[in-house]
Amino acid sequence: MAVSNLKVALIQTDLYWQDKVANLAMFEEKLWQLPKAIDLVILPEMFATGFSMDMESLSEPMNHTICKWMIQVAKQLKVTITGSAIIQDSGKYYNRMLWVSPSGDIDWYDKRHLFRMAQEDESYDMGKKRRVFEVNGWKILPQVCYDLRFPVWSRNGASSDGEMDYDLSIYVASWPAARVKAWDILLQARAVENLSYSIGVNRIGVDGNGVEYSGHSAIYDYKGECVSSAEENEGILILELNYSDLIAFREKFPAWKDADKFELKN
């Protein structure tokens, strides 16, 4: 079956500190500026609150305000929309990357690697399951911020006939300006080593803890070329990813055949 190209929109913006109403209103205004025929919209990490450890007062159960807002947006704009939020589930708190289809169906990935330098590991529960979602035939690996530093968790596997686990990895983030060079390097590396597109969506501005963010949201292709970058500016990146070019490159340069075999254990 032929797979069509994928048109993605990345939203890089400042966030209102711990203010869901203001953030959702701000994103809604930006989303309605999007052109038609977007397949996938990507928001930053904890897009409704900023990166906060105040999970008790900021968390929501599934299908509450944030989830309902995302479902409404997905249905109205006929897009898949994703970004992470603070979710309470079965008495536990998660930095959960929500994934909502145009039909309103909702799925998720819970952040695996919790940023101990900000006590995230003391505030949230670790995700234990790697997920791969699908949009228009594209297989997409969702990841959150600090996950970017751990390549084993995002390693792209392949079957004997060359069918790979995923075609695109997405990292939503609140990645500080002080370490933005590492962000640039690692996003590029994840694309090269996994023979896939790699997208990172980071925020800008200064949060309530005085942490500065400088964006650098970007799209890298399977050869490690940066095909689009927001640098440090507020704005929306829109790009169409080419599936046939990706497959042609994998066939021409089948490095996956020489990959080391291993199994992940939770």
Side-chain angles (χ1 to χ4, degrees), residues 196-210:
S196 72
Y197 287 96
S198 175
I199 289 178
V201 180
N202 194 24
R203 61 163 294 183
I204 59 172
V206 179
D207 71 15
N209 292 319

Side-chain angles (χ1 to χ4, degrees), residues 66-95:
I66 294 173
C67 290
K68 287 181 177 178
W69 177 84
M70 293 180 76
I71 290 169
Q72 180 181 12
V73 168
K75 286 182 174 181
Q76 289 180 340
L77 297 183
K78 296 180 174 59
V79 298
T80 296
I81 186 168
T82 187
S84 90
I86 303 171
I87 298 295
Q88 184 180 27
D89 192 346
S90 302
K92 297 181 178 180
Y93 299 100
Y94 295 97
N95 184 346

Side-chain angles (χ1 to χ4, degrees), residues 26 32 34 44 54 58 67 100 118 122 146 167 250 263 265:
M26 177 267 293
W32 283 109
L34 292 176
D54 190 7
L58 295 174
C67 290
V100 186
E122 299 174 11
Y146 195 42
D167 309 304
R250 287 175 173 174
E263 292 183 3
K265 294 183 178 180

Side-chain angles (χ1 to χ4, degrees), residues 101-112:
S101 72
S103 65
D105 293 332
I106 189 165
D107 210 335
W108 63 87
Y109 158 73
D110 292 328
K111 185 177 181 180
R112 167 83 169 187

